[in-house]
Structures are given as structure tokens and as C-alpha cells.
Amino acid sequence: MLHKVVALAIPGVAPFEFGVVCEVFGVDRSDTGGPKFDFRIATAEPGPVTTSLGFDMHIADDLSIAADADLLAVPAHVIEDVDPRYLEAIRAAEARGAWVLSVCSGAFTLAQAGILDGRKSTTHWMHTDKLSAMYPKTEVDPDVLFVEDRKVVTSAGTAAGIDAALHIVRKEHGAAATNVIARRMVVPPQRDGGQSQYIDAPVTECKSDSFALVAEWMLENLHEDLTVDQLARKALMSSRTFARRFRADMGTTPAAWLNRQRIIRAQQLLEETDLGLEQIAQETGFGTAAVMRHHFVRVLQTSPMAYRRAFGAREAG
């Protein structure tokens, strides 16, 4: 279970991306049913650490506190060679099976440490070509919010770090705990890693509110066999126009978005109820437990029963 989280304050650290890690893991939300982490901040030389905006942060702890971290987080910072002591801490975390998370340009430090070799990765779309050129042993995906490859998670720019961090919380603590954090942060808890980094601005005729209404209706009717044609009629568009504008507005296809919402709803039912797998599959639109299991294994790398054993209040009979 994820308990101790250490964020690295590397000279040139970006304040917003650093703040993302602090906000997700550093706030005690146990009063509203959320998790409480043992959150620490470490740097190679305790004392003032200069940020990318020129002001200093005072960091009291050195890297020794990272030796037993369950998660080591590397926020964005100025892209340059870093002190080898940071690289050693990152290698040690990966070697003992801890989670390692980078936000935005922090991926360059993970690559410099060598732990992205043979792994898929991403970073801010402005830097993906540079990451690929400098570190050809990692497979860089320029068009996703985040990538998880064997407990090493790299995220795209800025807010995508929130999605990546919540992904780790969801894997370790379940959907309910993640929703508490997301609700307190006033962010969506369900953005999937495969969603596009950049969403086209909708054309004048297509208002975001229109898709918000359709999306709300989709969530209310997950149990139905929803087709693009049916959704397009609901949005008063042709099927082709709907599919194109939905992707531009929402960052993914209608089918992929709908499938993710079904998984999230199934996670909630597995955690909070003792409903049987077949009933959950029907209520969430998967139809059968076998189909639901297929999607769980593909997206979450676990089965519904294993998920319930890990996060459910009680096991189904």
C-alpha cells in the first residue's frame, strides 16, 4: 500500500508542477474519507533551492529520507544534467519496486537515471522530440497525458501531472479515495492516460455545454448499449460530425470515453457494494462478467475480483 511519498526538489524546479505533487500527496484528507500520506520533500543539499521562477524554497531534508519511499516524485525542472545523487535515489527507488513519477520535464531526469530504457514514456509535447533524440532507448508517446510502464509513470505538462498522480492513488487506494482527492481539488478524477495532450478548440457551432449535457446523459445510461448514431441524434448532429467534434472537445473517442466511465462505475460498485459480478457488468453496460473482466485486465491490469479483494469493504459471496 502506498504510504510514504517523497518529492525531489531539484534546483530549477517548476513551482506549479512541484505544487501538483504537494497538493495530491501532501494534504491530509482523512476527515472526508481520503488517504493520508507520509509526505516528505528532499534535496541533495538541504537549504535554499532555487526555482525556475527565480525565488528560493527552503528544504530541510536530504536524500536519505527517500531510501524507503513507496513513491518517489520528480516534478518538472530546468532541462539539464542533474546532480548524480538524485539519479542514484531514482535508480534505487526503481530497483526496490517503488513507484517513480515524473511531471512534465522531470522525465528527462528519469531518462538520465536510465530507468526509462526499454520503457514507454511521455513528457510535455514541446519536449517529446528532444526526449526521443537524447534518450533513444525509451519509446516516447507524444500524444498522451501520462504513461505507466512497470510502476514508472511519466506525465505530460502541467495539469497532466494531476492525472498521473491520481492514477497512482487509484491503483493503490482505489476509486473512492481518488474521488475524494479529485473532489477536494475540483478536478475530474477520470481522465485516462491515453487521452490526447492537446484538445482542439471547438468550432463556433459546437459549444462545450452541448457535450457536457450529452456526457451527463451517457453517465446516466451506462447500462444501455449506446451507439455513436444514438449519441449523435441526442446531440442533434450527424454521426460523423459528432464523432469528430467529440474527440476535438473531449480529447478521446466516444467509445473510449464511455468505456472508461463504465470501468470507473464498476470500480465504485466493487468497492462500495456486495453486488455480484454479473449484476455489476449489466448495470455498467459491459453485459457480462467476462467482458468486464477483459476490460479490467486491459486497462487496470487486474481482474474485477482481485480489485474487490484489494479495495472492497467486503467480498462478494
Side-chain angles (χ1 to χ4, degrees), residues 106-303:
F108 284 82
T109 300
L110 270 56
Q112 190 178 342
I115 70 168
L116 295 186
D117 291 357
R119 281 186 165 99
K120 295 181 180 179
S121 65
T122 194
T123 188
H124 192 289
W125 60 267
M126 292 180 64
H127 304 313
T128 51
D129 288 345
K130 183 174 183 178
L131 183 63
S132 293
M134 291 179 65
Y135 301 101
K137 292 183 179 180
T138 181
E139 181 183 341
V140 180
D141 189 337
D143 189 33
V144 293
L145 294 178
F146 63 85
V147 173
E148 180 201 336
D149 192 331
R150 289 165 288 157
K151 298 189 74 172
V152 174
V153 181
T154 51
S155 76
T158 316
I162 300 174
D163 300 299
L166 291 179
H167 167 76
I168 295 175
V169 175
R170 186 179 298 111
K171 296 275 289 210
E172 289 284 326
H173 289 272
T178 307
N179 290 343
V180 170
I181 298 175
R183 196 158 49 242
R184 290 273 291 267
M185 292 179 65
V186 197
V187 298
Q190 75 276 12
R191 292 211 304 175
D192 193 28
Q195 188 166 317
S196 177
Q197 279 196 39
Y198 28 86
I199 301 174
D200 299 334
V203 295
T204 303
E205 294 82 4
C206 173
K207 302 297 184 183
S208 294
D209 286 349
S210 301
F211 283 106
L213 292 174
V214 173
E216 182 178 353
W217 184 83
M218 292 165 73
L219 290 174
E220 293 171 352
N221 293 274
L222 289 177
H223 59 286
E224 299 287 349
D225 182 17
L226 303 178
T227 66
V228 171
D229 288 344
Q230 184 180 5
L231 297 173
R233 287 194 298 271
K234 189 75 177 176
L236 303 178
M237 300 178 189
S238 70
S239 298
R240 183 176 179 181
T241 298
F242 175 81
R244 174 171 56 82
R245 292 184 177 175
F246 189 96
R247 183 173 181 83
D249 208 53
M250 304 290 280
T252 190
T253 66
W257 190 90
L258 186 62
N259 188 65
R260 186 62 180 133
Q261 306 317 307
R262 284 174 167 153
I263 290 175
I264 290 169
R265 178 58 180 154
Q267 287 177 284
Q268 293 172 334
L269 292 175
L270 288 166
E271 289 184 34
E272 300 168 4
T273 76
D274 58 1
L275 294 175
L277 298 187
E278 290 292 345
Q279 187 174 350
I280 291 175
Q282 292 173 10
E283 291 196 9
T284 55
F286 287 118
T288 68
V291 173
M292 182 171 68
R293 185 183 190 283
H294 166 78
H295 288 287
F296 260 65
V297 171
R298 183 177 62 84
V299 176
L300 303 177
Q301 291 81 53
T302 191
S303 69

Side-chain angles (χ1 to χ4, degrees), residues 75-93:
H77 55 84
V78 176
I79 300 174
E80 58 185 18
D81 288 342
V82 303
D83 188 314
R85 287 174 288 181
Y86 295 110
L87 306 182
E88 293 171 5
I90 292 168
R91 293 186 193 110

Side-chain angles (χ1 to χ4, degrees), residues 13 19 44 49 54 61 176:
V13 63
V49 175
D61 291 317

Side-chain angles (χ1 to χ4, degrees), residues 95-109:
R96 68 174 180 270
W99 287 93
V100 180
L101 165 69
S102 70
V103 182
C104 194
S105 61
F108 284 82
T109 300

